[in-house]
Amino acid sequence: MRQKAVIGMSDMIESFIEEARAVSLSVAAVTFERLAARGAEWTGPCPQMGGTDAYAVNVIKGVWNCRKCGTGGHDAISLAAHECGYDLSARAGFLGACAAVLGRPVPDGENSESAEEQREREDRLAKARAEAEARAATAAKHKQYYRTKAMNKARGIYFGAALVRPGEGRTLREYLRLRTGHVMPEGVFENIRCDLRHTYWHGIDQFGRPAHIYSGPAMIAPFVDLSGKVLGCHETWIDLKVKPKRRPEILDDDGATLPTKKMQGLHKGMIIPVLGDLTLKRWVVAEGIENVAAVAGLERFRSDTFYCAAGSLGNLAGPAANREKHPIQKRIDKRGVERSVFVDGPLPKPDADPASAFQAPEHVEELVLIGDGDSEPLMTAFAMKRAELRLSAPGRVVTTDWPPKTAGDFSELCMDGADG
Ligand SMILES: [Zn+2]
C-alpha cells in the first residue's frame, strides 16, 4: 500500500494565496457590492476616509482607485485590503485580505492576524470612518454657510439695484437695443435692473481688503429657481461707447483683460428670467441674456413664451456622460508634444444631480434652445445635444435654433441693424 502524501502547512497557505490571486477584480466587486447601477464604473465613498465619490471600481477596465487614500490596483486582494483596512506590507494583513477575497479564514491560524490585531485593525477602521464623517459634517456646514452668505450677497446686489421704470434707465435700454437690434418691452425691466455706479471688485488691496478697481453702469439680472425666488445674480458692466459689445475694458494690475460679466450666489440649476412668466408652456432658453433678448425681438416678443438665459453653457447643457476625442483639434503640451483635445460628449451624464444644470418644469410643452456660433463648433454642438436629450420629456418638443452661418450668434445677427 502506498503512503498517503502529506501536504505541508506552508503548501496550504501558498495554495490559499494562489486561490485568492486567481479571483478577478469583478468577482471581488460583487463580494463588496461595488457594482454600478448603470455603466461599468461604481463610485462612492471610501470605506476608510469617507467622502462622496473618491472611490471608484471599474469592472470593465479591471481597475479600482481611491483619491482619498491615493491608492488603487487591478486585483481583488488590493481591493479587499482597501475595503477592510488591511496593511498589505505585513504578512498578516496580506493573508487577511486574501481571506476577505475568498470569504473563509486563513488555513493556518499561526499566519493570520491575532484576535488582538484584528481588534486593532477594526478599531482603526472605525476611528478613521468616524473622523471622516466628522470632517465631512464640518465641511458641509462650512459649505452651507458660504453658500448662504454668497446667496444673500447676490440678493443684496439685485434688490439694491434700481428698478427701471417706464421712461427711466436709458443706459440699460440703449445697451439692450444696441446688442439685440430691438427696443425691449417694459416686461424685460420687471426682471432686469440697472446700477449706474456698480463696483467691480477684483483681488485685494494693500490692507488685505477686497479691492475695487472699476465703477460704472451695469445690468443686474436675477438668477431664480423654478419657483421664481431670487438666489443669485448676473452682473454685466456696460460702456455704450465701446463697440461692438458695449462693455468696458477692465484691466488687472498686469494689464490683463478681466471678464465684464460676473455671476454671484447660486447660479447652477437656476435661470435668468428675461421676459414672460415661468408658468408659460413655451420656453426659449439661450446661454446669454443678449442672445435670448435678440431672439425674443426676432419673434416679436411672443406673449405665450417665457424667454430666459442659462448664464453659462454648462448650466444649459448639463454634465456629460463622457469626453470624446476631438477629430481635428490638437494641443501642444509643456514638453512640446502634440496631444489630443477632448471635449464633453453629446450624451448627458446618467443620474446627474438636478442642481448641476437648469431644469425645465413639467408644464413646458415646447422648449426652444438657442445655439451659439461664437464658440468651438463641435464642443457647442455636443453641448446643445446634451441639453436636448436631458430636457426632453413625454409630450414635450425640444429643438435647437442656430444662427445663420454668417453670424456668430443671434445678438450679433441683430446688432448690425442697430449700430448707430
Ligand atoms: Zn480610500
Side-chain angles (χ1 to χ4, degrees), residues 10-46:
S10 66
D11 292 336
M12 278 176 68
I13 296 280
E14 284 318 308
S15 72
F16 179 77
I17 292 169
E18 280 317 305
E19 206 184 322
R21 283 206 167 114
V23 174
S24 70
L25 184 69
S26 53
V27 169
V30 174
T31 307
F32 293 104
E33 295 176 15
R34 301 308 187 203
L35 291 178
R38 286 159 79 175
E41 186 162 281
W42 173 92
T43 55
C46 166

Short mmCIF file of all heavy atoms in Angstrom, two decimals, residues 10-46:
data_model
loop_
_atom_site.label_atom_id
_atom_site.label_comp_id
_atom_site.label_asym_id
_atom_site.label_seq_id
_atom_site.Cartn_x
_atom_site.Cartn_y
_atom_site.Cartn_z
N SER A 10 2.70 25.06 4.90
CA SER A 10 3.12 26.16 4.04
C SER A 10 2.53 25.99 2.64
O SER A 10 2.18 26.97 1.99
CB SER A 10 4.64 26.25 3.99
OG SER A 10 5.15 25.10 3.35
N ASP A 11 2.41 24.72 2.18
CA ASP A 11 1.80 24.49 0.87
C ASP A 11 0.34 24.93 0.88
O ASP A 11 -0.16 25.50 -0.08
CB ASP A 11 1.87 23.00 0.50
CG ASP A 11 3.30 22.57 0.23
OD1 ASP A 11 4.11 23.46 -0.11
OD2 ASP A 11 3.58 21.38 0.38
N MET A 12 -0.32 24.64 2.01
CA MET A 12 -1.73 25.02 2.12
C MET A 12 -1.89 26.53 2.05
O MET A 12 -2.80 27.05 1.41
CB MET A 12 -2.34 24.48 3.42
CG MET A 12 -2.76 23.04 3.30
SD MET A 12 -3.37 22.40 4.85
CE MET A 12 -4.88 23.32 5.04
N ILE A 13 -0.98 27.23 2.74
CA ILE A 13 -1.01 28.70 2.71
C ILE A 13 -0.77 29.19 1.28
O ILE A 13 -1.48 30.07 0.78
CB ILE A 13 0.07 29.29 3.65
CG1 ILE A 13 -0.22 28.92 5.10
CG2 ILE A 13 0.16 30.82 3.48
CD1 ILE A 13 -1.25 29.76 5.79
N GLU A 14 0.25 28.57 0.63
CA GLU A 14 0.57 29.01 -0.74
C GLU A 14 -0.62 28.80 -1.67
O GLU A 14 -0.94 29.67 -2.49
CB GLU A 14 1.81 28.27 -1.27
CG GLU A 14 3.13 28.79 -0.70
CD GLU A 14 3.22 30.31 -0.61
OE1 GLU A 14 2.97 30.98 -1.64
OE2 GLU A 14 3.49 30.85 0.48
N SER A 15 -1.28 27.66 -1.55
CA SER A 15 -2.41 27.42 -2.46
C SER A 15 -3.59 28.33 -2.11
O SER A 15 -4.35 28.75 -2.98
CB SER A 15 -2.82 25.95 -2.47
OG SER A 15 -3.46 25.62 -1.27
N PHE A 16 -3.69 28.67 -0.82
CA PHE A 16 -4.72 29.62 -0.37
C PHE A 16 -4.49 30.98 -1.05
O PHE A 16 -5.40 31.59 -1.60
CB PHE A 16 -4.64 29.74 1.16
CG PHE A 16 -5.63 30.69 1.78
CD1 PHE A 16 -6.96 30.34 1.93
CD2 PHE A 16 -5.21 31.94 2.24
CE1 PHE A 16 -7.86 31.21 2.53
CE2 PHE A 16 -6.11 32.81 2.83
CZ PHE A 16 -7.44 32.45 2.98
N ILE A 17 -3.20 31.40 -1.04
CA ILE A 17 -2.85 32.68 -1.67
C ILE A 17 -3.09 32.63 -3.17
O ILE A 17 -3.67 33.55 -3.75
CB ILE A 17 -1.36 33.04 -1.37
CG1 ILE A 17 -1.18 33.33 0.12
CG2 ILE A 17 -0.90 34.23 -2.21
CD1 ILE A 17 0.27 33.43 0.57
N GLU A 18 -2.68 31.50 -3.79
CA GLU A 18 -2.88 31.35 -5.23
C GLU A 18 -4.36 31.46 -5.59
O GLU A 18 -4.73 32.08 -6.58
CB GLU A 18 -2.32 30.00 -5.72
CG GLU A 18 -0.82 29.99 -5.91
CD GLU A 18 -0.29 31.25 -6.59
OE1 GLU A 18 -0.78 31.57 -7.70
OE2 GLU A 18 0.57 31.93 -6.00
N GLU A 19 -5.17 30.83 -4.75
CA GLU A 19 -6.61 30.85 -4.98
C GLU A 19 -7.15 32.28 -4.92
O GLU A 19 -7.95 32.70 -5.76
CB GLU A 19 -7.30 29.98 -3.93
CG GLU A 19 -8.63 29.41 -4.39
CD GLU A 19 -9.33 28.63 -3.27
OE1 GLU A 19 -8.63 27.92 -2.50
OE2 GLU A 19 -10.55 28.75 -3.17
N ALA A 20 -6.67 33.04 -3.94
CA ALA A 20 -7.11 34.43 -3.80
C ALA A 20 -6.63 35.27 -4.98
O ALA A 20 -7.35 36.12 -5.49
CB ALA A 20 -6.59 35.03 -2.49
N ARG A 21 -5.40 34.98 -5.43
CA ARG A 21 -4.84 35.73 -6.57
C ARG A 21 -5.64 35.47 -7.84
O ARG A 21 -5.71 36.32 -8.72
CB ARG A 21 -3.38 35.32 -6.81
CG ARG A 21 -2.44 35.96 -5.80
CD ARG A 21 -1.03 36.08 -6.39
NE ARG A 21 -0.22 36.97 -5.56
CZ ARG A 21 0.84 36.56 -4.85
NH1 ARG A 21 1.23 35.29 -4.90
NH2 ARG A 21 1.51 37.42 -4.12
N ALA A 22 -6.22 34.28 -7.94
CA ALA A 22 -6.96 33.91 -9.16
C ALA A 22 -8.33 34.59 -9.23
O ALA A 22 -8.96 34.61 -10.28
CB ALA A 22 -7.12 32.39 -9.21
N VAL A 23 -8.76 35.15 -8.10
CA VAL A 23 -10.08 35.82 -8.10
C VAL A 23 -9.95 37.15 -8.85
O VAL A 23 -9.03 37.92 -8.60
CB VAL A 23 -10.58 36.06 -6.65
CG1 VAL A 23 -11.86 36.87 -6.65
CG2 VAL A 23 -10.78 34.72 -5.95
N SER A 24 -10.86 37.37 -9.78
CA SER A 24 -10.77 38.61 -10.57
C SER A 24 -11.35 39.78 -9.78
O SER A 24 -12.10 39.61 -8.82
CB SER A 24 -11.53 38.45 -11.87
OG SER A 24 -12.92 38.40 -11.59
N LEU A 25 -10.99 40.97 -10.24
CA LEU A 25 -11.49 42.18 -9.60
C LEU A 25 -13.02 42.23 -9.69
O LEU A 25 -13.69 42.65 -8.75
CB LEU A 25 -10.88 43.42 -10.26
CG LEU A 25 -11.26 44.75 -9.62
CD1 LEU A 25 -10.63 44.89 -8.25
CD2 LEU A 25 -10.87 45.92 -10.50
N SER A 26 -13.57 41.76 -10.82
CA SER A 26 -15.02 41.86 -10.97
C SER A 26 -15.75 40.96 -9.97
O SER A 26 -16.83 41.31 -9.50
CB SER A 26 -15.44 41.56 -12.41
OG SER A 26 -14.91 40.34 -12.83
N VAL A 27 -15.15 39.81 -9.64
CA VAL A 27 -15.77 38.94 -8.63
C VAL A 27 -15.72 39.61 -7.26
O VAL A 27 -16.69 39.62 -6.51
CB VAL A 27 -15.07 37.55 -8.61
CG1 VAL A 27 -15.53 36.74 -7.40
CG2 VAL A 27 -15.37 36.80 -9.90
N ALA A 28 -14.55 40.22 -6.96
CA ALA A 28 -14.43 40.93 -5.67
C ALA A 28 -15.40 42.10 -5.61
O ALA A 28 -15.94 42.42 -4.55
CB ALA A 28 -13.00 41.41 -5.48
N ALA A 29 -15.64 42.74 -6.76
CA ALA A 29 -16.58 43.87 -6.81
C ALA A 29 -17.98 43.40 -6.43
O ALA A 29 -18.74 44.13 -5.80
CB ALA A 29 -16.58 44.50 -8.19
N VAL A 30 -18.30 42.15 -6.80
CA VAL A 30 -19.60 41.58 -6.41
C VAL A 30 -19.62 41.34 -4.90
O VAL A 30 -20.56 41.71 -4.20
CB VAL A 30 -19.88 40.26 -7.17
CG1 VAL A 30 -21.16 39.61 -6.66
CG2 VAL A 30 -19.96 40.51 -8.67
N THR A 31 -18.53 40.72 -4.39
CA THR A 31 -18.43 40.43 -2.95
C THR A 31 -18.65 41.68 -2.10
O THR A 31 -19.37 41.66 -1.12
CB THR A 31 -17.03 39.85 -2.63
OG1 THR A 31 -16.79 38.75 -3.51
CG2 THR A 31 -16.93 39.39 -1.19
N PHE A 32 -18.01 42.78 -2.53
CA PHE A 32 -18.09 44.01 -1.73
C PHE A 32 -19.19 44.96 -2.21
O PHE A 32 -19.24 46.11 -1.80
CB PHE A 32 -16.72 44.71 -1.71
CG PHE A 32 -15.67 43.93 -0.98
CD1 PHE A 32 -14.70 43.22 -1.68
CD2 PHE A 32 -15.68 43.85 0.41
CE1 PHE A 32 -13.74 42.48 -1.01
CE2 PHE A 32 -14.73 43.10 1.08
CZ PHE A 32 -13.75 42.41 0.37
N GLU A 33 -20.04 44.46 -3.10
CA GLU A 33 -21.16 45.24 -3.63
C GLU A 33 -20.70 46.57 -4.21
O GLU A 33 -21.17 47.64 -3.84
CB GLU A 33 -22.22 45.45 -2.53
CG GLU A 33 -22.85 44.13 -2.11
CD GLU A 33 -23.85 44.27 -0.96
OE1 GLU A 33 -24.25 45.40 -0.67
OE2 GLU A 33 -24.19 43.24 -0.38
N ARG A 34 -19.75 46.46 -5.14
CA ARG A 34 -19.24 47.66 -5.81
C ARG A 34 -19.58 47.63 -7.30
O ARG A 34 -18.75 47.88 -8.16
CB ARG A 34 -17.71 47.77 -5.64
CG ARG A 34 -17.23 47.84 -4.21
CD ARG A 34 -17.93 48.92 -3.43
NE ARG A 34 -17.36 49.10 -2.09
CZ ARG A 34 -18.03 49.64 -1.08
NH1 ARG A 34 -19.29 50.01 -1.23
NH2 ARG A 34 -17.45 49.81 0.09
N LEU A 35 -20.83 47.27 -7.60
CA LEU A 35 -21.25 47.23 -9.00
C LEU A 35 -22.12 48.44 -9.30
O LEU A 35 -23.03 48.76 -8.54
CB LEU A 35 -22.03 45.94 -9.28
CG LEU A 35 -21.18 44.67 -9.23
CD1 LEU A 35 -22.06 43.45 -9.46
CD2 LEU A 35 -20.06 44.72 -10.26
N ALA A 36 -21.82 49.11 -10.41
CA ALA A 36 -22.58 50.30 -10.79
C ALA A 36 -23.99 49.91 -11.18
O ALA A 36 -24.21 48.86 -11.79
CB ALA A 36 -21.88 51.00 -11.96
N ALA A 37 -24.95 50.76 -10.80
CA ALA A 37 -26.34 50.53 -11.20
C ALA A 37 -26.44 50.64 -12.72
O ALA A 37 -27.17 49.92 -13.38
CB ALA A 37 -27.26 51.54 -10.53
N ARG A 38 -25.67 51.59 -13.28
CA ARG A 38 -25.60 51.77 -14.74
C ARG A 38 -24.15 52.00 -15.11
O ARG A 38 -23.41 52.62 -14.38
CB ARG A 38 -26.43 52.99 -15.16
CG ARG A 38 -27.93 52.72 -15.09
CD ARG A 38 -28.70 54.01 -15.01
NE ARG A 38 -28.83 54.64 -16.32
CZ ARG A 38 -29.55 55.74 -16.51
NH1 ARG A 38 -30.16 56.31 -15.51
NH2 ARG A 38 -29.63 56.27 -17.70
N GLY A 39 -23.76 51.47 -16.28
CA GLY A 39 -22.39 51.68 -16.74
C GLY A 39 -21.42 50.75 -16.03
O GLY A 39 -21.83 49.89 -15.25
N ALA A 40 -20.13 50.92 -16.33
CA ALA A 40 -19.12 50.00 -15.85
C ALA A 40 -18.51 50.43 -14.53
O ALA A 40 -17.93 49.62 -13.81
CB ALA A 40 -18.01 49.86 -16.89
N GLU A 41 -18.62 51.72 -14.20
CA GLU A 41 -17.88 52.22 -13.06
C GLU A 41 -18.76 52.55 -11.87
O GLU A 41 -19.69 53.35 -11.97
CB GLU A 41 -17.07 53.46 -13.47
CG GLU A 41 -16.17 53.96 -12.36
CD GLU A 41 -15.08 54.87 -12.86
OE1 GLU A 41 -14.08 54.35 -13.40
OE2 GLU A 41 -15.23 56.09 -12.73
N TRP A 42 -18.44 51.91 -10.74
CA TRP A 42 -19.10 52.25 -9.49
C TRP A 42 -18.27 53.34 -8.82
O TRP A 42 -17.05 53.27 -8.81
CB TRP A 42 -19.18 51.02 -8.60
CG TRP A 42 -19.71 51.30 -7.22
CD1 TRP A 42 -21.00 51.22 -6.80
CD2 TRP A 42 -18.95 51.72 -6.07
NE1 TRP A 42 -21.11 51.58 -5.47
CE2 TRP A 42 -19.86 51.88 -5.00
CE3 TRP A 42 -17.60 51.98 -5.84
CZ2 TRP A 42 -19.46 52.29 -3.72
CZ3 TRP A 42 -17.20 52.40 -4.57
CH2 TRP A 42 -18.12 52.54 -3.53
N THR A 43 -18.92 54.36 -8.29
CA THR A 43 -18.20 55.34 -7.48
C THR A 43 -18.95 55.55 -6.18
O THR A 43 -20.17 55.42 -6.13
CB THR A 43 -18.06 56.71 -8.19
OG1 THR A 43 -19.36 57.16 -8.54
CG2 THR A 43 -17.19 56.63 -9.43
N GLY A 44 -18.19 55.86 -5.14
CA GLY A 44 -18.82 56.09 -3.85
C GLY A 44 -17.80 56.50 -2.82
O GLY A 44 -16.64 56.76 -3.15
N PRO A 45 -18.23 56.57 -1.57
CA PRO A 45 -17.30 56.99 -0.51
C PRO A 45 -16.23 55.94 -0.24
O PRO A 45 -16.47 54.74 -0.41
CB PRO A 45 -18.22 57.17 0.70
CG PRO A 45 -19.43 56.36 0.42
CD PRO A 45 -19.59 56.31 -1.06
N CYS A 46 -15.07 56.39 0.18
CA CYS A 46 -14.01 55.47 0.59
C CYS A 46 -14.44 54.80 1.88
O CYS A 46 -14.92 55.46 2.79
CB CYS A 46 -12.72 56.26 0.80
SG CYS A 46 -11.47 55.33 1.68
#
